[in-house]
Amino acid sequence: MSFDTREHNSQRRYFDQCDSFWLFGYGSLIWKAGFAYLERRPASIFNWSRRFWHGSHDHRGTVQSPGRVVTLIKDEGARCDGMAYRITPAVLADLDIREKNGYLRELIPIYLSSQLSGAPSTQVSGLVYIATADSEAYLGEAPLLAIAQQIVQAKGPSGENRDYLLNLDNALRQLGMQDEHVSQLAAHVQQISE
Ligand code: SIN
């Protein structure tokens, strides 16, 4: 599949007939909403892990020197914490542009927390943007140090790749959410940058 997923996503009209629905954010959508939402709640999904395995050729890197951003990897028994937003279908057009570099709209069970750092309680069927190995923009697994080195070097129209990682790490900490992959990468990047 080519980098640009806008055409694919425009066919995925799961919630077109709803007044509002929930979107799960696990990367920049946690710390930089940048879209109108009706409500937001800390939330979790299960059997997925967040990994810096996807390439950013349009936001945090370039085609010549791609950055690395998060996607979700199937991982039985794992839990990924993030932020869910209740949005209207009209918001998706702009989100499809933002997430066009390989991310596809997917349906997913989302467990909403009733309060900050609360245990996930209510389950809803919502939407998430996931990039898989089918995408030409996918970079795949690499040693943590190699990923950190790539992140330190990359920058794109949305800014430095390291800020994407460090903002995500900070946001997760503030929400009381633990993610070793993210915190270990942030530690490597800070060490390399010293
Ligand atoms: C997300 O945040 O949910 C998707 C990945 C990103 O935009 O960083």
Side-chain angles (χ1 to χ4, degrees), residues 27-59:
S28 68
L29 294 183
I30 296 181
W31 54 269
K32 186 183 175 190
F35 53 85
Y37 57 86
L38 304 167
E39 194 184 343
R40 76 173 185 163
R41 290 216 225 152
S44 306
I45 55 171
F46 291 89
N47 303 318
W48 293 92
S49 283
R50 174 176 23 230
R51 292 286 180 267
F52 272 81
W53 291 3
H54 193 54
S56 180
H57 305 78
D58 57 345
H59 283 297

